[in-house]
Amino acid sequence: MAISIIQAVNKLKTMKQREKCGNLGFILAALMFVWTTYKSFFPSQIRIFLNMIHRYTYPYVHISFPEYQGDGFYQYKTLAYKAIERYLHKKSSDQARFLKAGHAPDSDTIVLSIEENEEVSDEFQGIKVRWASRQLTPKGQSISLYTRGDEKRYFRLTFYKKHREFVTNVYLKHVLEEGKQIAVRERRRKLYTNRKSDVGNRTPMWSQVRFEHPATFDTLVMEPKKKKEIMDDLINFSKAKEYYAKIGKAWKRGYLLYGPPGTGKSTMIAAMANLLNYDVYDLELTSVKDNSELRKLLIDTSGRSIIVIEDIDCSLDLTGQRDQRNTKTKEDKKDPVEKIIKTKKVEDNNKSSSQVTLSGLLNFIDGLWSACGGERLIVFTTNYVEDLDPALIRRGRMDKHIELSYCRFEAFKDLAKIYLNIESHELFDKVGKLLEEIEMTPADVAENLMPKSTEEDADFCVKRLVNALEQAKEEARLKAEEEERLKAEKEEKKKQKQKQDSPGSEVKGTETVAADQEKENDDHEVKSGETVANEAKENTHSVVDSAETVTDEVKEN
Ligand SMILES: Nc1ncnc2c1ncn2[C@@H]1O[C@H](COP(=O)(O)OP(=O)(O)OP(=O)(O)O)[C@@H](O)[C@H]1O
Ligand SMILES: [Mg+2]
């Protein structure tokens, strides 16, 4: 019984389906009939006229954005298509049912885009538009090295005719800008370095690796106020495109980072790059042949980047124009070991064949070419800021001078938090006091605070730092004592040398005394001739005696 009911229902369904198919077939046949009649009975002029009416009354505008452009042989993917793809990524994944996944070049993200014939809607400032992905298959055969065969994909934007102005002037600008920003945010950042010029002209001037430095302003310790000021300055710069255009300045900014080794100059550059999402061009000046090559390198850099010249004082002999006396006094004050290291570095660099001059470098920083690309930071680092030519670091070239210095208590507390995750310890006060007395770089403090094995807990590391500081203090005391002793020795030797060098002056002194005596005698005319003569004789004897004694002493010596 049940089976027969099911069979009856199935039969009914089949009948209904047949009926539907029949209806569909009928509709199609009717349409075909109307189309054929229209084509054969309406002359082409009328058809054109009807089309014109249709066009005139049609309420929409369509704009196509092809994926590739160019001639048949050489084709390239259009920037607009790429930007739209990125822009629609979020909307596509929210709205479309058929999606394509692709790996964006220079990025780790998967980009989802709508499959052909899918559509998504978008709204901007109250105006609604529709985006569709379409594909054309060309009738003829096309040969191209760069396209993927016959596929000719494009995005089609549809909107109301009345919004034409807004869409073309405002909305599309917004889409392209936003798409570019998304691509920049998601791209893999690069660290570039310049090749030695004799590698060959055809190879790119910059070689690149992925930039993966983990330093951020959170892990960089320095005075909080100063840190905030630097971060604000950087963020402000990155948003100031219009402002720079308004004041007529190239969109670039120079930073000079100076301070002793190990105070975080290179770390700060990495933090800057990570904050602004910029590439880094590490320029090795000694590998640059001459000024014209320097200019080419500059042209080959992209925007949104930091161009770094580390240890600028050692890169080239840029100190030549300085007042030599001035430099010498400062040189003398330096630690002898530092002096040796520096001299070595300069000697090594002098061996290189670089003919880059100071004026070439100044042009590189703010010559006409420096404006190409835009949104660029130029950062110099140095351990000896006083050695640099003032022209190189004047404001306008190096707009912001940042001193990175030895670790003080506040910086130590930040390092303890970062490295050991502690905010207090019984030895903190002691560390604070020691850091007031001893100059230790953040690099050394960090090294002591970093656990080297699982057994080394926070307590162990803080104690190790205290020991290191005490040892450094003791060494400094011994060094000061040694210096004092050497100074005293030097003084003593100097005195003795003076003594040795001036025996004649004692004899000469004798003559002077005799002459004085004579003069004195003349003055005392009241004295009797005899008395005066005797006195003079006595005096002369005693002076000659003493002169003889001095001469004997000198001889003995
Ligand atoms: N201010 C700081 N904050 C956090 N870590 C720091 C700081 N300064 C130095 N360090 C640590 O010390 C190491 C060395 O620092 P960095 O290379 O930045 O010093 P530098 O100033 O560039 O030295 P040099 O003048 O020798 O190039 C870094 O790996 C970092 O971990
Ligand atoms: Mg460094």
Side-chain angles (χ1 to χ4, degrees):
M1 177 69 179
I3 293 168
S4 59
I5 290 172
I6 292 167
Q7 277 174 348
V9 169
N10 281 345
K11 213 171 182 181
L12 206 66
K13 269 189 189 169
T14 325
M15 276 170 66
K16 273 189 180 171
Q17 273 172 0
R18 272 193 201 147
E19 209 173 294
K20 265 189 191 170
C21 286
N23 286 345
L24 198 69
F26 177 74
I27 291 167
L28 281 175
L31 281 174
M32 291 285 284
F33 175 73
V34 170
W35 178 242
T36 329
T37 320
Y38 169 79
K39 274 178 92 175
S40 40
F41 289 100
F42 281 83
S44 59
Q45 284 87 346
I46 295 182
R47 269 193 277 142
I48 291 167
F49 177 69
L50 286 177
N51 272 345
M52 272 172 62
I53 291 179
H54 174 253
R55 268 202 207 166
Y56 188 71
T57 52
Y58 190 65
Y60 301 109
V61 175
H62 301 283
I63 303 178
S64 298
F65 297 88
E67 186 179 14
Y68 286 94
Q69 262 181 353
D71 56 32
F73 193 68
Y74 176 75
Q75 299 209 338
Y76 56 91
K77 198 164 182 171
T78 58
L79 289 177
Y81 189 93
K82 280 196 235 170
I84 295 165
E85 200 171 35
R86 286 301 179 92
Y87 176 78
L88 292 180
H89 169 85
K90 175 89 179 63
K91 288 174 183 63
S92 309
S93 45
D94 286 353
Q95 297 177 27
R97 283 175 305 158
F98 294 94
L99 293 154
K100 257 190 329 237
H103 203 268
D106 282 355
S107 163
D108 289 332
T109 38
I110 298 281
V111 180
L112 295 177
S113 53
I114 42 179
E115 264 285 10
E116 277 69 45
N117 302 323
E118 278 277 314
E119 291 197 5
V120 290
S121 62
D122 186 26
E123 190 174 333
F124 181 64
Q125 295 183 10
I127 304 296
K128 286 186 178 150
V129 298
R130 286 197 74 72
W131 285 97
S133 175
R134 298 274 183 261
Q135 188 175 317
L136 273 183
T137 312
K139 286 170 194 137
Q141 200 76 37
S142 72
I143 306 162
S144 167
L145 285 180
Y146 298 93
T147 55
R148 299 161 309 141
D150 295 342
E151 291 176 16
K152 283 214 181 299
R153 289 187 298 162
Y154 63 94
F155 282 119
R156 199 175 73 173
L157 173 67
T158 306
F159 53 92
Y160 280 114
K161 226 190 252 180
K162 59 182 176 187
H163 296 143
R164 184 194 289 264
E165 278 283 296
F166 176 81
V167 171
T168 50
N169 292 335
V170 184
Y171 176 70
L172 279 180
K173 218 172 169 186
H174 156 76
V175 171
L176 298 183
E177 195 51 46
E178 185 71 10
K180 261 195 254 169
Q181 291 294 334
I182 294 170
V184 164
R185 273 201 299 273
E186 289 173 355
R187 84 198 153 129
R188 247 185 252 138
R189 276 172 311 118
K190 305 267 175 58
L191 170 63
Y192 297 86
T193 187
N194 52 315
R195 295 172 197 269
K196 202 134 178 93
S197 51
D198 52 15
V199 170
N201 284 341
R202 284 177 182 276
T203 49
M205 301 186 82
W206 295 99
S207 54
Q208 46 163 291
V209 290
R210 211 170 148 170
F211 180 76
E212 291 179 311
H213 203 298
T216 62
F217 275 96
D218 291 336
T219 60
L220 180 82
V221 299
M222 63 189 300
E223 198 193 316
K225 211 173 129 207
K226 203 163 150 189
K227 193 197 287 192
K228 185 166 181 317
E229 187 194 308
I230 297 167
M231 287 172 76
D232 287 349
D233 189 271
L234 288 166
I235 291 168
N236 196 36
F237 167 79
S238 69
K239 291 180 181 164
K241 185 177 180 181
E242 270 88 33
Y243 179 74
Y244 273 80
K246 198 179 103 189
I247 60 170
K249 265 185 90 166
W251 191 15
K252 63 183 178 59
R253 193 156 171 80
Y255 282 78
L256 173 73
L257 311 184
Y258 65 95
T263 47
K265 296 178 291 299
S266 306
T267 312
M268 180 177 271
I269 295 170
M272 285 173 162
N274 285 332
L275 177 75
L276 299 178
N277 223 343
Y278 283 6
D279 290 325
V280 177
Y281 288 85
D282 188 3
L283 180 61
E284 181 54 59
L285 264 191
T286 49
S287 308
V288 183
K289 206 169 67 198
D290 51 25
N291 293 342
S292 108
E293 192 174 294
L294 187 63
R295 203 160 43 232
K296 277 189 212 146
L297 278 165
L298 176 69
I299 296 163
D300 251 16
T301 59
S302 60
R304 299 184 61 84
S305 61
I306 305 181
I307 300 174
V308 181
I309 304 181
E310 290 252 39
D311 292 324
I312 183 81
D313 54 313
C314 303
S315 290
L316 292 172
D317 187 16
L318 300 171
T319 57
Q321 299 182 3
R322 298 265 305 173
D323 179 354
Q324 293 299 319
R325 279 170 299 137
N326 202 10
T327 317
K328 192 156 186 332
T329 339
K330 279 170 185 164
E331 279 286 323
D332 289 346
K333 284 184 200 157
K334 274 179 205 158
D335 185 320
V337 182
E338 280 182 32
K339 256 164 67 180
I340 292 166
I341 295 172
K342 200 189 162 212
T343 317
K344 176 89 182 65
K345 276 187 187 174
V346 172
E347 274 172 7
D348 286 350
N349 291 329
N350 286 348
K351 279 179 206 156
S352 80
S353 55
S354 177
Q355 285 168 14
V356 174
T357 61
L358 179 64
S359 87
L361 190 61
L362 299 184
N363 261 325
F364 173 82
I365 304 165
D366 65 357
L368 287 176
W369 291 101
S370 68
C372 62
E375 198 171 2
R376 246 191 303 238
L377 296 177
I378 297 176
V379 183
F380 288 171
T381 74
T382 179
N383 297 142
Y384 308 102
V385 68
E386 65 280 358
D387 283 1
L388 297 179
D389 193 293
L392 189 64
I393 57 171
R394 70 151 168 77
R395 307 283 158 161
R397 276 205 182 95
M398 290 292 113
D399 305 277
K400 202 158 174 62
H401 296 193
I402 301 169
E403 182 178 8
L404 288 135
S405 192
Y406 292 106
C407 189
R408 297 291 168 224
F409 189 48
E410 287 304 313
F412 155 73
K413 281 200 289 188
D414 287 346
L415 281 175
K417 178 92 187 69
I418 295 165
Y419 281 78
L420 302 170
N421 205 14
I422 56 168
E423 286 181 26
S424 61
H425 189 278
E426 55 185 15
L427 288 173
F428 268 24
D429 286 345
K430 195 168 184 183
V431 173
K433 258 191 209 152
L434 284 166
L435 283 174
E436 289 295 314
E437 299 165 27
I438 291 296
E439 293 191 326
M440 192 178 258
T441 61
D444 287 335
V445 173
E447 183 54 28
N448 281 298
L449 288 181
M450 196 162 86
K452 311 289 181 312
S453 71
T454 42
E455 282 109 60
E456 296 185 357
D457 58 1
D459 188 53
F460 179 93
C461 295
V462 176
K463 279 182 185 152
R464 177 168 54 201
L465 175 65
V466 171
N467 283 343
L469 281 165
E470 278 172 344
Q471 200 180 325
K473 189 177 166 185
E474 183 58 17
E475 276 168 16
R477 191 184 63 78
L478 290 176
K479 196 177 162 194
E481 268 180 21
E482 181 64 11
E483 268 171 17
E484 198 58 39
R485 194 183 62 76
L486 287 174
K487 205 174 148 194
E489 247 178 36
K490 216 172 157 186
E491 281 293 316
E492 185 58 31
K493 274 188 188 158
K494 206 172 155 189
K495 267 189 206 161
Q496 278 187 8
K497 195 161 184 289
Q498 269 176 358
K499 234 176 175 182
Q500 280 177 10
D501 288 349
S502 54
S505 66
E506 288 282 332
V507 177
K508 202 174 166 200
T510 316
E511 284 161 9
T512 322
V513 171
D516 286 350
Q517 198 61 58
E518 249 176 57
K519 194 168 179 269
E520 208 179 11
N521 292 342
D522 288 343
D523 289 342
H524 293 85
E525 281 168 1
V526 280
K527 283 190 181 176
S528 69
E530 217 180 76
T531 329
V532 170
N534 287 340
E535 267 178 21
K537 211 177 168 186
E538 260 174 47
N539 285 337
T540 314
H541 273 295
S542 67
V543 171
V544 171
D545 283 346
S546 68
E548 272 169 9
T549 326
V550 170
T551 319
D552 288 341
E553 263 174 30
V554 171
K555 267 183 191 164
E556 265 170 37
N557 281 331

